[in-house]
Amino acid sequence: MVKDAKDRDYQSHQERELPIYVPEVLIFETPDEVDAYAASRVIRQITTHPASSLTVPTGNTPTGMYERLVAANSNGEVDFSQATFINLDEYYPISPDHPSSYTEYMKRNFTGRVKVGEWHIPNGAAPDPESEARRYADLLAQRQPIDLAVIGIGPGTTCHIGFNEKGSSIDSGVRYAPLASETQAVNAQLFDDPAEIPAGTLTQGIADILGARQILLLAKGPSKAWGINRTLKGLISSDAPASFLRHHPRVTFALDKESARYIR
Ligand code: F6R
């Protein structure tokens, strides 16, 4: 019998005997409480280690976290001027000044509003995605170790982290990655003309995310409920890339109760 990709994956991880950990799962009553917790983790990291390096996400989920970080900076609670922020991903191809690019998102929500030490994001307009991926991988390598990776999770059944869609390997690094059609359908709503959504992204790989000392995954709302349960309770496999997080010893899932509602 021919084994499907899921079985092969499972076997190869079993053979490598990667340890499996039980992530910390925090379930909050409201999305606001998820934002407050996420901001408090970032603030704690940077106030105790001002020159920290953080991997950071975009999307709907972290906007409340960024809002709180900007407020904390303006009231003097935290200073980001020695910290390094490295984005997970950018659409490809896209002009950095396109209003729906993640570059613009970051400027609007965070880096255009506070003083940061360094900020990096892939160039969605680079002529060659492979050389841009290599440049970003080198940049990431020079800033190791990443102290904290804050990430989201894809909608529906995608279970993507970064834009590592189904089929992504645990060993994957920075690369061009096509968007799954399920992701495309959801994210197209964030474009004035949904047909304008790019076909792919430049994304950190699973190995890059797992390389961080600590990982904080944020999820809110019912569209994440299936994926959260699949990630925490299903088989660890590239069929649900977020499930690879269970091979990392220091992961926190900060969830609102809607996204946690299917956890068995
Ligand atoms: C974005 C990213 C993605 C998103 C995910 C959820 O930088 O890496 O994995 O975190 O698609 O997006 P939202 O938060 O819009 O539901």
Side-chain angles (χ1 to χ4, degrees):
M1 195 182 82
V2 178
K3 295 214 169 278
D4 68 15
K6 201 162 70 183
D7 288 342
R8 274 201 308 275
D9 234 57
Y10 181 62
Q11 279 190 331
S12 80
H13 290 108
Q14 294 300 297
E15 280 153 21
R16 280 156 63 177
E17 292 180 356
L18 293 176
I20 296 175
Y21 303 91
V22 178
E24 177 181 42
V25 178
L26 304 175
I27 302 174
F28 296 96
E29 274 301 304
T30 65
D32 271 4
E33 289 172 55
V34 176
D35 299 341
Y37 175 77
S40 75
R41 283 285 300 269
V42 172
I43 292 169
R44 194 193 323 152
Q45 178 63 44
I46 293 176
T47 48
T48 54
H49 299 92
S52 292
S53 297
L54 281 82
T55 279
V56 288
T58 55
N60 288 325
T61 309
T63 53
M65 174 189 79
Y66 288 125
E67 203 52 56
R68 285 168 187 270
L69 292 177
V70 170
N73 178 252
S74 42
N75 70 26
E77 198 188 329
V78 62
D79 172 9
F80 301 114
S81 66
Q82 292 178 60
T84 295
F85 295 88
I86 307 181
N87 271 88
L88 277 164
D89 38 43
E90 174 60 286
Y91 291 114
Y92 190 89
I94 198 165
S95 165
D97 55 17
H98 188 291
S100 300
S101 75
Y102 287 146
T103 306
E104 275 299 312
Y105 169 102
M106 285 303 291
K107 289 185 188 163
R108 219 169 32 242
N109 287 285
F110 188 57
T111 54
R113 301 168 67 191
V114 297
K115 182 170 163 28
V116 299
E118 288 182 33
W119 168 47
H120 304 283
I121 187 162
N123 177 6
D128 173 28
E130 279 172 25
S131 38
E132 176 59 8
R134 273 196 303 277
R135 181 193 72 82
Y136 206 64
D138 289 348
L139 181 150
L140 198 54
Q142 284 157 21
R143 282 149 187 88
Q144 295 298 322
I146 301 299
D147 297 291
L148 174 65
V150 184
I151 63 176
I153 183 169
T157 67
T158 61
C159 293
H160 68 227
I161 49 175
F163 282 105
N164 297 283
E165 303 279 17
K166 282 178 201 178
S168 298
S169 151
I170 191 171
D171 300 317
S172 54
V174 180
R175 66 199 187 289
Y176 171 81
L179 285 170
S181 50
E182 196 177 355
T183 307
Q184 238 173 348
V186 173
N187 287 24
Q189 295 158 20
L190 305 170
F191 283 72
D192 281 344
D193 173 3
E196 260 189 63
I197 186 161
T201 60
L202 289 164
T203 184
Q204 290 191 30
I206 308 265
D208 300 314
I209 296 170
L210 292 181
R213 286 181 160 147
Q214 300 173 59
I215 302 174
L216 172 61
L217 182 143
L218 311 176
K220 302 184 214 168
S223 75
K224 305 295 170 70
W226 188 93
I228 288 294
N229 182 56
R230 169 68 186 83
T231 294
L232 290 171
K233 304 291 177 175
L235 197 65
I236 299 178
S237 82
S238 63
D239 203 36
S243 65
F244 289 133
L245 295 171
R246 285 156 54 199
H247 288 307
H248 191 290
R250 296 186 70 192
V251 183
T252 302
F253 282 65
L255 313 172
D256 71 347
K257 68 175 189 232
E258 287 291 309
S259 66
R261 69 183 180 183
Y262 293 160
I263 298 178
R264 281 185 266 118

